[in-house]
Amino acid sequence: SQKIEQNSEALNIQEGKTATLTCNYTNYSPAYLQWYRQDPGRGPVFLLLIRENEKEKRKERLKVTFDTTLKQSLFHITASQPADSATYLCALLDTGRRALTFGSGTRLQVQP
Amino acid sequence: ETGVTQSPTHLIKTRGQQVTLRCSSQSGHNTVSWYQQALGQGPQFIFQYYREEENGRGNFPPRFSGLQFPNYSSELNVNALELDDSALYLCASSSDGTGRMNTEAFFGQGTRLTVV
């Protein structure tokens, strides 16, 4: 069956450290993979998109890697801040499909 | 603010009733998706509309139906509400223009539906 797995346990880190979140998928052939941030009671907000033929994408303190052999994407936040505390969702667009499929998200808590 | 607005923001309905949720997509966005998000879960895809036609559907029963209007605004209708329908309902729009969500999706703030 198809699965998108994100660590369901919250990730707690100290301010200034790098946060690394994982997204693993099974039985998908994603053309695109996206990462979103979601705050409680709000809609997801787009952060980064990476294509199947790209290995890495960066935007300010954010970095995404995409390994189609391992079927995994890693999302890094460097120099993390308490304001980065939120739930982070990965979403993929499967080849031949038109809509995004989301993982269950990982909650990140950055301690001051 | 993303420019995608949903109404109402909160709603309480009784089991068995019907509900209509509304979404006004960002200007120029002709692709709209609807998602259901239960507490502590990721958004689950309900269906997607492109230029007023449904072009994708998730594993939801037929009592979940929708519409997209010529101005690309959209409605989600749920009939015969069940307790498990209680969730945050999210609408997202995209400007890709091909009916695929392969660019940034802009989400509304959601409608919190409670079924009692």
Side-chain angles (χ1 to χ4, degrees):
Chain A
S1 63
Q2 292 180 315
K3 283 187 206 174
I4 302 173
E5 293 181 314
Q6 296 185 255
N7 196 337
S8 58
E9 288 187 18
L11 178 63
N12 291 291
I13 63 167
Q14 288 296 123
E15 183 175 7
K17 300 290 186 185
T18 296
T20 298
L21 287 72
T22 305
C23 176
N24 295 300
Y25 59 91
T26 309
N27 292 328
Y28 282 102
S29 297
Y32 302 85
L33 192 143
Q34 302 183 20
W35 283 87
Y36 288 79
R37 170 188 171 135
Q38 187 174 27
D39 292 288
R42 308 296 296 269
V45 174
F46 173 82
L47 296 173
L48 280 170
L49 176 153
I50 189 164
R51 293 176 172 77
E52 61 178 331
N53 59 352
E54 296 176 319
K55 298 286 186 193
E56 183 179 298
K57 210 73 169 288
R58 291 175 186 260
K59 179 182 174 183
E60 298 171 353
R61 295 185 295 114
L62 308 181
K63 184 177 87 171
V64 171
T65 63
F66 193 12
D67 189 327
T68 54
T69 302
L70 289 179
K71 299 187 186 300
Q72 181 181 78
S73 175
L74 299 179
F75 177 78
H76 306 272
I77 306 176
T78 57
S80 59
Q81 304 165 1
D84 295 327
S85 299
T87 295
Y88 290 86
L89 298 160
C90 76
L92 56 83
L93 183 68
D94 205 21
T95 305
R97 299 233 179 128
R98 297 187 178 91
L100 290 170
T101 304
F102 281 83
S104 55
T106 297
R107 186 162 173 272
L108 172 66
Q109 189 71 37
V110 181
Q111 307 290 346
Chain B
E1 293 294 323
T2 64
V4 178
T5 56
Q6 293 187 241
S7 61
T9 54
H10 295 84
L11 199 54
I12 300 175
K13 287 285 190 178
T14 303
R15 192 171 51 179
Q17 284 189 312
Q18 178 265 342
V19 70
T20 297
L21 310 182
R22 294 181 173 84
C23 173
S24 176
S25 61
Q26 189 147 323
S27 177
H29 286 193
N30 55 19
T31 304
V32 174
S33 296
W34 284 91
Y35 290 84
Q36 180 195 68
Q37 187 174 27
L39 210 57
Q41 301 295 316
Q44 296 293 310
F45 174 62
I46 303 175
F47 44 58
Q48 179 167 290
Y49 279 84
Y50 172 61
R51 293 184 175 178
E52 303 176 58
E53 298 283 333
E54 185 183 289
N55 75 347
R57 190 176 180 93
N59 293 325
F60 279 80
R63 59 189 185 84
F64 286 79
S65 63
L67 277 175
Q68 188 180 31
F69 299 99
N71 65 355
Y72 303 136
S73 65
S74 178
E75 283 183 356
L76 163 64
N77 299 290
V78 188
N79 292 321
L81 283 166
E82 300 176 0
L83 297 179
D84 284 349
D85 296 334
S86 296
L88 181 68
Y89 287 85
L90 295 162
C91 161
S93 73
S94 170
S95 63
D96 171 70
T98 66
R100 298 184 82 204
M101 284 288 187
N102 59 359
T103 57
E104 174 180 356
F106 293 82
F107 280 83
Q109 81 282 12
T111 294
R112 171 70 62 187
L113 173 66
T114 303
V115 182
V116 298

Short mmCIF file of all heavy atoms in Angstrom, two decimals, chain B residues 15-57:
data_model
loop_
_atom_site.label_atom_id
_atom_site.label_comp_id
_atom_site.label_asym_id
_atom_site.label_seq_id
_atom_site.Cartn_x
_atom_site.Cartn_y
_atom_site.Cartn_z
N ARG B 15 -25.65 15.51 13.86
CA ARG B 15 -25.56 14.29 13.03
C ARG B 15 -26.78 14.16 12.15
O ARG B 15 -27.92 14.36 12.60
CB ARG B 15 -25.45 13.08 13.97
CG ARG B 15 -25.05 11.79 13.27
CD ARG B 15 -24.76 10.72 14.27
NE ARG B 15 -25.83 10.57 15.25
CZ ARG B 15 -25.82 9.69 16.23
NH1 ARG B 15 -24.78 8.90 16.38
NH2 ARG B 15 -26.81 9.60 17.07
N GLY B 16 -26.55 13.81 10.86
CA GLY B 16 -27.64 13.66 9.91
C GLY B 16 -27.92 14.90 9.08
O GLY B 16 -28.55 14.82 8.02
N GLN B 17 -27.44 16.05 9.55
CA GLN B 17 -27.67 17.29 8.81
C GLN B 17 -26.73 17.38 7.61
O GLN B 17 -25.84 16.55 7.41
CB GLN B 17 -27.45 18.51 9.72
CG GLN B 17 -28.58 18.77 10.70
CD GLN B 17 -28.41 20.10 11.42
OE1 GLN B 17 -27.32 20.40 11.93
NE2 GLN B 17 -29.47 20.89 11.47
N GLN B 18 -26.96 18.42 6.82
CA GLN B 18 -26.13 18.70 5.65
C GLN B 18 -25.40 20.01 5.88
O GLN B 18 -25.86 20.89 6.60
CB GLN B 18 -27.04 18.79 4.41
CG GLN B 18 -26.33 19.13 3.12
CD GLN B 18 -26.35 20.62 2.78
OE1 GLN B 18 -27.15 21.38 3.32
NE2 GLN B 18 -25.45 21.06 1.94
N VAL B 19 -24.19 20.14 5.26
CA VAL B 19 -23.42 21.37 5.43
C VAL B 19 -22.78 21.77 4.11
O VAL B 19 -22.46 20.91 3.27
CB VAL B 19 -22.33 21.17 6.52
CG1 VAL B 19 -21.23 20.23 6.05
CG2 VAL B 19 -21.74 22.50 6.95
N THR B 20 -22.66 23.07 3.91
CA THR B 20 -21.95 23.60 2.74
C THR B 20 -20.84 24.52 3.22
O THR B 20 -21.09 25.46 3.99
CB THR B 20 -22.91 24.39 1.83
OG1 THR B 20 -23.90 23.52 1.32
CG2 THR B 20 -22.14 25.00 0.65
N LEU B 21 -19.63 24.24 2.78
CA LEU B 21 -18.48 25.08 3.10
C LEU B 21 -18.02 25.78 1.83
O LEU B 21 -18.09 25.20 0.73
CB LEU B 21 -17.33 24.21 3.66
CG LEU B 21 -17.69 23.25 4.79
CD1 LEU B 21 -16.45 22.51 5.26
CD2 LEU B 21 -18.36 23.97 5.93
N ARG B 22 -17.53 26.99 1.99
CA ARG B 22 -17.20 27.80 0.82
C ARG B 22 -15.74 28.22 0.81
O ARG B 22 -15.13 28.41 1.86
CB ARG B 22 -18.12 29.02 0.76
CG ARG B 22 -19.56 28.65 0.51
CD ARG B 22 -20.50 29.82 0.42
NE ARG B 22 -21.83 29.36 0.01
CZ ARG B 22 -22.75 28.88 0.84
NH1 ARG B 22 -22.48 28.80 2.15
NH2 ARG B 22 -23.92 28.48 0.41
N CYS B 23 -15.22 28.39 -0.41
CA CYS B 23 -13.83 28.75 -0.58
C CYS B 23 -13.71 29.73 -1.74
O CYS B 23 -14.22 29.47 -2.84
CB CYS B 23 -13.00 27.50 -0.88
SG CYS B 23 -11.28 27.84 -1.32
N SER B 24 -13.04 30.83 -1.47
CA SER B 24 -12.75 31.79 -2.53
C SER B 24 -11.26 31.71 -2.81
O SER B 24 -10.44 32.00 -1.93
CB SER B 24 -13.15 33.19 -2.05
OG SER B 24 -12.79 34.15 -3.02
N SER B 25 -10.90 31.24 -3.98
CA SER B 25 -9.49 31.00 -4.26
C SER B 25 -8.77 32.30 -4.61
O SER B 25 -9.40 33.33 -4.87
CB SER B 25 -9.33 30.00 -5.42
OG SER B 25 -9.92 30.52 -6.60
N GLN B 26 -7.46 32.21 -4.60
CA GLN B 26 -6.64 33.38 -4.93
C GLN B 26 -6.92 33.76 -6.39
O GLN B 26 -7.16 32.89 -7.24
CB GLN B 26 -5.17 33.03 -4.74
CG GLN B 26 -4.24 34.19 -4.84
CD GLN B 26 -3.03 34.04 -3.92
OE1 GLN B 26 -3.13 33.53 -2.81
NE2 GLN B 26 -1.88 34.48 -4.38
N SER B 27 -6.88 35.05 -6.66
CA SER B 27 -7.19 35.56 -7.99
C SER B 27 -6.34 34.86 -9.06
O SER B 27 -5.12 34.76 -8.95
CB SER B 27 -6.93 37.07 -8.01
OG SER B 27 -7.16 37.58 -9.30
N GLY B 28 -7.03 34.36 -10.09
CA GLY B 28 -6.31 33.71 -11.19
C GLY B 28 -6.04 32.23 -11.00
O GLY B 28 -5.59 31.56 -11.93
N HIS B 29 -6.32 31.70 -9.81
CA HIS B 29 -6.06 30.28 -9.55
C HIS B 29 -7.26 29.46 -9.99
O HIS B 29 -8.34 29.59 -9.44
CB HIS B 29 -5.81 30.05 -8.06
CG HIS B 29 -4.48 30.54 -7.59
ND1 HIS B 29 -3.96 30.18 -6.38
CD2 HIS B 29 -3.56 31.32 -8.19
CE1 HIS B 29 -2.78 30.74 -6.23
NE2 HIS B 29 -2.51 31.44 -7.31
N ASN B 30 -7.06 28.57 -10.98
CA ASN B 30 -8.20 27.81 -11.50
C ASN B 30 -8.23 26.37 -11.00
O ASN B 30 -9.08 25.59 -11.42
CB ASN B 30 -8.20 27.84 -13.03
CG ASN B 30 -6.88 27.36 -13.62
OD1 ASN B 30 -6.10 26.70 -12.94
ND2 ASN B 30 -6.64 27.70 -14.87
N THR B 31 -7.31 26.00 -10.13
CA THR B 31 -7.29 24.65 -9.56
C THR B 31 -7.52 24.76 -8.06
O THR B 31 -6.80 25.49 -7.37
CB THR B 31 -5.94 23.96 -9.83
OG1 THR B 31 -5.70 23.95 -11.23
CG2 THR B 31 -5.95 22.53 -9.31
N VAL B 32 -8.52 24.05 -7.58
CA VAL B 32 -8.87 24.11 -6.16
C VAL B 32 -9.00 22.69 -5.61
O VAL B 32 -9.65 21.84 -6.22
CB VAL B 32 -10.20 24.85 -5.93
CG1 VAL B 32 -10.61 24.78 -4.46
CG2 VAL B 32 -10.09 26.30 -6.36
N SER B 33 -8.36 22.45 -4.48
CA SER B 33 -8.45 21.16 -3.80
C SER B 33 -9.09 21.35 -2.44
O SER B 33 -8.90 22.39 -1.81
CB SER B 33 -7.06 20.55 -3.58
OG SER B 33 -6.43 20.26 -4.78
N TRP B 34 -9.76 20.30 -1.98
CA TRP B 34 -10.33 20.28 -0.63
C TRP B 34 -9.69 19.14 0.16
O TRP B 34 -9.49 18.04 -0.38
CB TRP B 34 -11.84 20.07 -0.68
CG TRP B 34 -12.61 21.30 -1.09
CD1 TRP B 34 -12.97 21.66 -2.36
CD2 TRP B 34 -13.13 22.31 -0.22
NE1 TRP B 34 -13.68 22.83 -2.33
CE2 TRP B 34 -13.79 23.26 -1.03
CE3 TRP B 34 -13.11 22.51 1.16
CZ2 TRP B 34 -14.43 24.38 -0.50
CZ3 TRP B 34 -13.74 23.62 1.69
CH2 TRP B 34 -14.39 24.55 0.86
N TYR B 35 -9.41 19.42 1.42
CA TYR B 35 -8.80 18.44 2.31
C TYR B 35 -9.56 18.40 3.63
O TYR B 35 -10.08 19.42 4.09
CB TYR B 35 -7.34 18.79 2.60
CG TYR B 35 -6.41 18.62 1.43
CD1 TYR B 35 -6.27 19.63 0.48
CD2 TYR B 35 -5.69 17.44 1.25
CE1 TYR B 35 -5.43 19.47 -0.60
CE2 TYR B 35 -4.84 17.28 0.16
CZ TYR B 35 -4.72 18.30 -0.76
OH TYR B 35 -3.89 18.15 -1.84
N GLN B 36 -9.56 17.22 4.24
CA GLN B 36 -10.09 17.04 5.60
C GLN B 36 -8.92 16.74 6.51
O GLN B 36 -8.10 15.87 6.21
CB GLN B 36 -11.08 15.86 5.64
CG GLN B 36 -11.67 15.61 7.02
CD GLN B 36 -12.33 14.24 7.11
OE1 GLN B 36 -11.68 13.21 7.06
NE2 GLN B 36 -13.65 14.23 7.25
N GLN B 37 -8.82 17.47 7.62
CA GLN B 37 -7.73 17.24 8.54
C GLN B 37 -8.28 16.98 9.94
O GLN B 37 -8.80 17.89 10.60
CB GLN B 37 -6.76 18.42 8.57
CG GLN B 37 -5.51 18.15 9.40
CD GLN B 37 -4.49 19.26 9.32
OE1 GLN B 37 -4.81 20.42 9.08
NE2 GLN B 37 -3.21 18.92 9.50
N ALA B 38 -8.15 15.74 10.39
CA ALA B 38 -8.53 15.39 11.76
C ALA B 38 -7.41 15.82 12.70
O ALA B 38 -6.26 16.01 12.28
CB ALA B 38 -8.76 13.89 11.85
N LEU B 39 -7.75 15.97 13.96
CA LEU B 39 -6.77 16.44 14.95
C LEU B 39 -5.56 15.52 15.01
O LEU B 39 -5.71 14.30 15.09
CB LEU B 39 -7.47 16.48 16.32
CG LEU B 39 -6.97 17.52 17.31
CD1 LEU B 39 -7.07 18.91 16.72
CD2 LEU B 39 -7.75 17.43 18.61
N GLY B 40 -4.37 16.10 14.87
CA GLY B 40 -3.15 15.32 14.97
C GLY B 40 -2.79 14.55 13.71
O GLY B 40 -1.81 13.79 13.71
N GLN B 41 -3.55 14.74 12.65
CA GLN B 41 -3.30 14.03 11.38
C GLN B 41 -2.93 15.02 10.29
O GLN B 41 -3.14 16.23 10.43
CB GLN B 41 -4.55 13.26 10.96
CG GLN B 41 -5.01 12.23 11.95
CD GLN B 41 -4.01 11.12 12.13
OE1 GLN B 41 -3.46 10.60 11.15
NE2 GLN B 41 -3.75 10.75 13.37
N GLY B 42 -2.41 14.49 9.18
CA GLY B 42 -2.16 15.34 8.03
C GLY B 42 -3.44 15.52 7.23
O GLY B 42 -4.42 14.79 7.41
N PRO B 43 -3.46 16.50 6.34
CA PRO B 43 -4.64 16.71 5.49
C PRO B 43 -4.89 15.49 4.58
O PRO B 43 -3.95 14.97 3.98
CB PRO B 43 -4.27 17.94 4.66
CG PRO B 43 -3.20 18.64 5.44
CD PRO B 43 -2.44 17.54 6.13
N GLN B 44 -6.15 15.07 4.50
CA GLN B 44 -6.55 13.96 3.64
C GLN B 44 -7.29 14.54 2.44
O GLN B 44 -8.26 15.28 2.60
CB GLN B 44 -7.47 13.00 4.40
CG GLN B 44 -6.79 12.33 5.58
CD GLN B 44 -5.69 11.39 5.17
OE1 GLN B 44 -5.88 10.54 4.31
NE2 GLN B 44 -4.52 11.55 5.76
N PHE B 45 -6.86 14.16 1.25
CA PHE B 45 -7.41 14.69 0.01
C PHE B 45 -8.85 14.22 -0.19
O PHE B 45 -9.13 13.02 -0.16
CB PHE B 45 -6.53 14.24 -1.15
CG PHE B 45 -7.06 14.59 -2.51
CD1 PHE B 45 -7.23 15.91 -2.88
CD2 PHE B 45 -7.34 13.60 -3.43
CE1 PHE B 45 -7.70 16.25 -4.14
CE2 PHE B 45 -7.80 13.92 -4.70
CZ PHE B 45 -7.99 15.24 -5.04
N ILE B 46 -9.75 15.18 -0.44
CA ILE B 46 -11.15 14.85 -0.71
C ILE B 46 -11.39 14.85 -2.21
O ILE B 46 -11.75 13.83 -2.79
CB ILE B 46 -12.11 15.84 -0.02
CG1 ILE B 46 -11.85 15.88 1.49
CG2 ILE B 46 -13.57 15.45 -0.29
CD1 ILE B 46 -12.66 16.93 2.23
N PHE B 47 -11.25 16.01 -2.84
CA PHE B 47 -11.33 16.10 -4.29
C PHE B 47 -10.71 17.40 -4.78
O PHE B 47 -10.37 18.28 -3.98
CB PHE B 47 -12.77 15.97 -4.83
CG PHE B 47 -13.81 16.75 -4.09
CD1 PHE B 47 -13.74 18.13 -3.93
CD2 PHE B 47 -14.90 16.09 -3.53
CE1 PHE B 47 -14.70 18.82 -3.24
CE2 PHE B 47 -15.88 16.78 -2.85
CZ PHE B 47 -15.78 18.14 -2.70
N GLN B 48 -10.56 17.48 -6.10
CA GLN B 48 -9.92 18.64 -6.72
C GLN B 48 -10.73 19.05 -7.94
O GLN B 48 -11.24 18.20 -8.68
CB GLN B 48 -8.48 18.29 -7.12
CG GLN B 48 -7.73 19.43 -7.79
CD GLN B 48 -6.26 19.14 -7.88
OE1 GLN B 48 -5.55 19.12 -6.88
NE2 GLN B 48 -5.77 18.93 -9.09
N TYR B 49 -10.81 20.36 -8.18
CA TYR B 49 -11.50 20.90 -9.34
C TYR B 49 -10.55 21.74 -10.19
O TYR B 49 -9.69 22.45 -9.66
CB TYR B 49 -12.69 21.77 -8.89
CG TYR B 49 -13.89 20.96 -8.53
CD1 TYR B 49 -14.01 20.40 -7.26
CD2 TYR B 49 -14.88 20.69 -9.46
CE1 TYR B 49 -15.10 19.62 -6.93
CE2 TYR B 49 -15.98 19.92 -9.13
CZ TYR B 49 -16.08 19.38 -7.87
OH TYR B 49 -17.15 18.60 -7.55
N TYR B 50 -10.74 21.61 -11.49
CA TYR B 50 -9.96 22.40 -12.44
C TYR B 50 -10.94 22.89 -13.49
O TYR B 50 -11.58 22.08 -14.17
CB TYR B 50 -8.85 21.55 -13.06
CG TYR B 50 -8.10 22.19 -14.19
CD1 TYR B 50 -7.40 23.37 -13.99
CD2 TYR B 50 -8.09 21.61 -15.46
CE1 TYR B 50 -6.69 23.96 -15.03
CE2 TYR B 50 -7.40 22.20 -16.50
CZ TYR B 50 -6.70 23.36 -16.28
OH TYR B 50 -6.00 23.94 -17.31
N ARG B 51 -11.04 24.20 -13.61
CA ARG B 51 -11.93 24.81 -14.60
C ARG B 51 -13.33 24.20 -14.53
O ARG B 51 -13.89 23.78 -15.54
CB ARG B 51 -11.35 24.67 -16.01
CG ARG B 51 -10.08 25.48 -16.20
CD ARG B 51 -9.57 25.40 -17.62
NE ARG B 51 -8.43 26.27 -17.80
CZ ARG B 51 -7.74 26.38 -18.95
NH1 ARG B 51 -8.10 25.68 -20.00
NH2 ARG B 51 -6.72 27.18 -19.03
N GLU B 52 -13.86 24.12 -13.32
CA GLU B 52 -15.23 23.71 -13.02
C GLU B 52 -15.49 22.22 -13.16
O GLU B 52 -16.63 21.77 -12.99
CB GLU B 52 -16.24 24.49 -13.89
CG GLU B 52 -16.13 26.00 -13.75
CD GLU B 52 -17.08 26.74 -14.68
OE1 GLU B 52 -18.30 26.50 -14.59
OE2 GLU B 52 -16.59 27.54 -15.51
N GLU B 53 -14.47 21.43 -13.45
CA GLU B 53 -14.63 19.99 -13.55
C GLU B 53 -13.83 19.29 -12.45
O GLU B 53 -12.68 19.67 -12.17
CB GLU B 53 -14.14 19.48 -14.91
CG GLU B 53 -14.87 20.02 -16.12
CD GLU B 53 -16.21 19.36 -16.32
OE1 GLU B 53 -16.38 18.19 -15.89
OE2 GLU B 53 -17.12 20.00 -16.88
N GLU B 54 -14.39 18.23 -11.87
CA GLU B 54 -13.64 17.45 -10.89
C GLU B 54 -12.56 16.67 -11.64
O GLU B 54 -12.87 15.91 -12.57
CB GLU B 54 -14.58 16.50 -10.14
CG GLU B 54 -13.88 15.75 -9.02
CD GLU B 54 -14.80 14.75 -8.33
OE1 GLU B 54 -15.72 15.17 -7.62
OE2 GLU B 54 -14.58 13.53 -8.51
N ASN B 55 -11.31 16.81 -11.22
CA ASN B 55 -10.23 16.10 -11.92
C ASN B 55 -9.41 15.22 -10.98
O ASN B 55 -8.30 14.82 -11.28
CB ASN B 55 -9.31 17.07 -12.69
CG ASN B 55 -8.39 17.85 -11.78
OD1 ASN B 55 -8.56 17.87 -10.57
ND2 ASN B 55 -7.39 18.50 -12.36
N GLY B 56 -9.99 14.90 -9.83
CA GLY B 56 -9.35 13.97 -8.92
C GLY B 56 -10.20 13.82 -7.68
O GLY B 56 -10.86 14.77 -7.25
N ARG B 57 -10.20 12.62 -7.10
CA ARG B 57 -10.99 12.37 -5.92
C ARG B 57 -10.26 11.39 -5.02
O ARG B 57 -9.67 10.42 -5.50
CB ARG B 57 -12.36 11.81 -6.30
CG ARG B 57 -13.32 11.75 -5.15
CD ARG B 57 -14.71 11.28 -5.55
NE ARG B 57 -15.57 11.26 -4.38
CZ ARG B 57 -16.37 12.26 -4.01
NH1 ARG B 57 -16.44 13.35 -4.75
NH2 ARG B 57 -17.12 12.16 -2.93
#
